[in-house]
Amino acid sequence: MGEQQHVKFPQEVIDEYAALGVDLPALFSAGHLGNRMGVQIVEASAEKVVGTMPVEGNTQPYGLLHGGASAVLAETLGSIGSMLHGGASKIAVGVDLNCTHHRGARSGLVTGVATPVHRGRSTATYEIVITDEQGKRVCSARLTCLLREINPQDADNLPSAGRA
């Protein structure tokens, strides 16, 4: 996973993960797929996650932003919010993603903003609004994640960059 040194996290969240030896910006990057697609995480907290993605390189044959690319951006942002809500003792696992595509984008960057709809003990649901550079809504998405306790085998799957 690529490091996202410019991500803004609340200091108390950075401190919580640092106490566990976790490099939070590296752990909550866009991941391998997101990195390939150019996803950049700009801001991250349980209350709001913001990220961008270029349209170029993420289009379908007609030259429009691929709906699957919007889904990748939405799931990335909603998952990060869910993980931050769940805290260092839980892992977020996506169980439902719904995307409605409103308009096409042919160039520039799209920006996604994830905000919580529900934050419970065992699930978290985020609404993700993706807009183009003119502020027009390209996609509305909703992601629900199951929040489960981390078990020993999960540690083997954490990216090495996420451990300090």
Side-chain angles (χ1 to χ4, degrees):
M1 297 176 107
E3 291 190 34
Q4 304 287 322
Q5 297 299 333
H6 60 284
V7 179
K8 294 183 279 182
F9 290 98
Q11 188 60 48
E12 64 273 9
V13 174
I14 292 172
D15 294 343
E16 176 187 1
Y17 283 84
L20 299 170
V22 176
D23 177 355
L24 192 63
L27 180 61
F28 290 109
S29 72
H32 296 295
L33 176 60
N35 287 341
R36 250 191 321 270
M37 297 179 72
V39 173
Q40 295 289 313
I41 308 304
V42 176
E43 176 184 343
S45 72
E47 291 76 34
K48 180 180 177 184
V49 182
V50 179
T52 63
M53 181 180 65
V55 173
E56 185 177 340
N58 294 314
T59 57
Q60 38 89 314
Y62 302 115
L64 298 171
L65 178 65
H66 195 291
S70 294
V72 168
L73 179 59
E75 185 148 359
T76 299
L77 301 178
S79 293
I80 290 171
S82 295
M83 287 289 288
L84 290 171
H85 164 66
S89 66
K90 294 195 176 182
I91 189 167
V93 180
V95 294
D96 182 63
L97 176 64
N98 175 287
C99 298
T100 301
H101 307 288
H102 304 291
R103 69 175 58 246
R106 292 189 178 276
S107 63
L109 284 178
V110 291
T111 300
V113 178
T115 54
V117 173
H118 166 76
R119 291 188 298 168
R121 286 179 291 142
S122 60
T123 62
T125 300
Y126 280 76
E127 176 186 41
I128 304 93
V129 174
I130 300 173
T131 57
D132 63 17
E133 289 179 323
Q134 289 73 45
K136 294 182 179 178
R137 191 178 291 224
V138 173
C139 177
S140 297
R142 186 188 67 247
L143 174 71
T144 298
C145 289
L146 173 68
L147 302 173
R148 66 171 181 78
E149 295 294 323
I150 292 177
N151 59 48
Q153 46 280 48
D154 292 328
D156 297 334
N157 294 318
L158 288 177
S160 58
R163 293 282 169 195

